Amino acid sequence: MQQLDQAHQDDHGPDHGHSLVEDMAKMRTLLARRRALKWFAGAGTFALVSGCGGSDSSDAVTVVTDTTPTPTSTVTATPTATATATTCIVDSAETAGPYPADGTNSSSGSTANALTVSGIVRSDIRASFIGTTTVATGTQLTITLTVVDVNAVCAPLANYAVYLWQCDRNGNYSLYTAPTESYLRGVQVTNAAGQVTFTTIVPGCYEGRYPHMHFEVFSTLTAATGGRYAVLTSQLAMPAALCNAVYADTTLYPASATRFAKISTSSDNVFGDNTAAQIAQQTPTFAGSVADGYTASAVIGITR
């Protein structure tokens, strides 16, 4: 009998019991294990953590509950088209007028070219930089111009040079009708965003012209010093509301209000033949006040 029992144990392994009672106990253990495995399978992700590389060689089962958040609907913002990307057009080419000081005309018998003079590259253009250091007075204005390539979905153009010049509060231009001064002229080079910023004053209004600023765009700073290589020569129109607010101070702008009352963009000999879209682009957007000064911005569209 003992021999038969021993043979039975050898055939089925040491885990098999020697009696019905022992077999029932083994079966209960087996069922318990199956229930546990079924529970593990339904509980989520599980990991087997072993003692690899460590002194503990025992195996353990660590249950890691599923911590992945339930997906929720996310709102992806529709890209907002910038004014540069959707509304810019090629700026209308305009006359440089009689006072550019860019080497293309003469003043008092000599060619005026401020672009070749050291100091022309500057952001604050209120002071003279040739001969005197007189500062032009008037309502302060900081204006940012963004130069873009209309043929490339209005992408900004870096390293372009912008020459800005304008009249003073009395309607005079330095190096010409204000011959001893060189204020309100300057050059800046566009940054990676295609932008240049100038600190200046709100220009006055002189007889027969709508209040404006002149500018020229050059492909490089080196090209700017020649004066004859501008890729665009144009003008910016001052908004009527700004002019009415600023020119109300007749002490600072003594004759501008009277002159401004007789002119408009439609009657101006430069802006008068432009489309509404061109005028809109040539008119900077302003913010601020007479007391605190103004900031302004405009897009300058060119083609390459």
Side-chain angles (χ1 to χ4, degrees):
M1 185 67 177
Q2 290 179 350
Q3 291 176 348
L4 291 173
D5 288 342
Q6 183 64 44
H8 181 81
Q9 184 175 346
D10 291 341
D11 289 342
H12 297 278
D15 287 339
H16 195 283
H18 299 286
S19 66
L20 179 60
V21 173
E22 290 179 19
D23 286 345
M24 291 297 292
K26 295 293 185 180
M27 292 175 66
R28 283 194 294 271
T29 300
L30 180 60
L31 288 173
R33 288 178 179 173
R34 289 178 177 174
R35 291 191 194 99
L37 289 173
K38 183 178 180 181
W39 184 84
F40 287 150
T45 304
F46 66 92
L48 296 177
V49 180
S50 65
C52 296
S55 59
D56 186 358
S57 61
S58 63
D59 291 341
V61 177
T62 301
V63 178
V64 181
T65 57
D66 188 357
T67 57
T68 303
T70 302
T72 56
S73 59
T74 58
V75 177
T76 302
T78 302
T80 301
T82 63
T84 298
T86 60
T87 62
C88 79
I89 59 174
V90 177
D91 273 62
S92 174
E94 310 290 6
T95 177
Y99 312 119
D102 61 358
T104 60
N105 70 348
S106 297
S107 175
S108 301
S110 62
T111 301
N113 192 350
L115 296 177
T116 61
V117 180
S118 175
I120 189 64
V121 180
R122 58 197 187 137
S123 178
D124 191 333
I125 63 174
R126 290 175 295 177
S128 288
F129 64 101
I130 303 172
T132 77
T133 57
T134 305
V135 177
T137 56
T139 301
Q140 183 171 319
L141 167 61
T142 300
I143 185 166
T144 298
L145 306 177
T146 303
V147 181
V148 301
D149 183 0
V150 176
N151 285 344
V153 199
C154 296
L157 292 172
N159 300 317
Y160 273 60
V162 179
Y163 172 37
L164 183 75
W165 74 95
Q166 64 176 84
C167 70
D168 62 19
R169 63 188 178 93
N170 294 311
N172 293 315
Y173 284 86
S174 66
L175 301 176
Y176 294 90
T177 50
T180 62
E181 305 301 343
S182 52
Y183 50 48
L184 303 179
R185 299 179 184 276
V187 174
Q188 280 284 285
V189 177
T190 59
N191 60 18
Q195 295 181 332
V196 293
T197 298
F198 293 95
T199 299
T200 182
I201 63 167
V202 175
C205 182
Y206 55 90
E207 200 68 45
R209 278 302 319 272
Y210 189 86
H212 61 281
M213 293 177 171
H214 296 264
F215 68 89
E216 290 177 330
V217 179
F218 300 86
S219 59
T220 64
L221 180 59
T222 301
T225 62
R228 298 178 184 274
Y229 306 105
V231 296
L232 173 68
T233 300
S234 191
Q235 299 183 25
L236 298 170
M238 299 299 99
L242 169 81
C243 295
N244 285 324
V246 171
Y247 298 161
D249 184 348
T250 55
T251 299
L252 193 58
Y253 289 84
S256 289
T258 301
R259 295 166 179 165
F260 182 64
K262 298 184 288 184
I263 193 74
S264 66
T265 54
S266 59
S267 63
D268 184 69
N269 63 359
V270 171
F271 300 120
D273 60 352
N274 290 354
T275 67
Q278 288 172 324
I279 291 295
Q281 179 149 301
Q282 289 176 278
T283 304
T285 300
F286 277 75
S289 66
V290 172
D292 299 328
Y294 291 90
T295 59
S297 63
V299 172
I300 307 300
I302 67 172
T303 57
R304 298 178 66 186

